[in-house]
Amino acid sequence: MPGTGGKKSMRECNQCGKCCIAYSDGGLSASALEIEDWEQFRPDIAQYVANGEIWMDPVSGERLKRCPWLEAEPASVDGADLKYSCGIYQERPEDCRHYPTSIDEMVRDGCEMIELHDLDAPKAAQRELDRLMAESRPPLS
């Protein structure tokens, strides 16, 4: 592969759920327009919004410890590993669509997309990440 020294490029998302778990406890926000759209077209999502804050318990008003839309499924026959999916993938907030943004963010969060050789060439890895995320967000660099 050109530019990678023959090494496999960054992995695509394997649905490990680390990002969703790490950020669902108050680390995400939604724009006023996203919230307005949910209120109008997706009241099932809007019920988890309170005072512009997302993923709030509709009964108690307390922040949920985990995103209510994060769905776990066994990734193996014996159920030992889990894969995660998003119950509102098409309507998820921009914060979710844009993740991961940077190599530093991926390292901090333990993202499983990153390969060890990506750490040796962070600029090339960032370009690869931007390529992989092109349909979800603008490039960082």
Side-chain angles (χ1 to χ4, degrees):
M1 287 180 208
T4 63
K7 295 177 182 167
K8 188 173 101 176
S9 62
M10 185 178 298
R11 298 177 196 144
E12 291 198 25
C13 178
N14 67 359
Q15 297 177 274
C16 72
K18 288 181 179 179
C19 54
C20 296
I21 293 166
Y23 290 99
S24 63
D25 187 13
L28 296 172
S29 63
S31 71
L33 181 58
E34 288 170 322
I35 293 170
E36 184 179 311
D37 285 347
W38 293 337
E39 288 171 345
Q40 186 170 4
F41 302 109
R42 292 294 306 267
D44 57 323
I45 300 173
Q47 72 176 332
Y48 291 98
V49 177
N51 299 319
E53 302 274 331
I54 62 173
W55 313 159
M56 307 299 282
D57 186 303
V59 175
S60 71
E62 299 292 319
R63 180 172 309 284
L64 295 169
K65 296 292 181 201
R66 197 159 165 181
C67 174
W69 308 106
L70 184 61
E71 300 170 352
E73 303 169 7
S76 61
V77 176
D78 65 5
D81 297 318
L82 292 177
K83 279 192 164 204
Y84 291 87
S85 61
C86 176
I88 60 166
Y89 189 79
Q90 295 301 322
E91 291 83 22
R92 70 197 188 281
E94 189 173 278
D95 274 3
C96 299
R97 287 192 302 261
H98 286 191
Y99 188 89
T101 304
S102 71
I103 299 303
D104 289 342
E105 182 180 60
M106 294 171 76
V107 170
R108 179 192 67 217
D109 298 339
C111 179
E112 294 182 12
M113 289 173 60
I114 200 159
E115 299 274 4
L116 285 177
H117 68 266
D118 294 326
L119 302 176
D120 295 332
K123 288 182 181 179
Q126 185 65 52
R127 285 191 300 274
E128 177 65 6
L129 176 60
D130 289 342
R131 184 192 68 74
L132 287 170
M133 298 298 295
E135 291 182 26
S136 300
R137 63 164 176 77
L140 181 67
S141 48

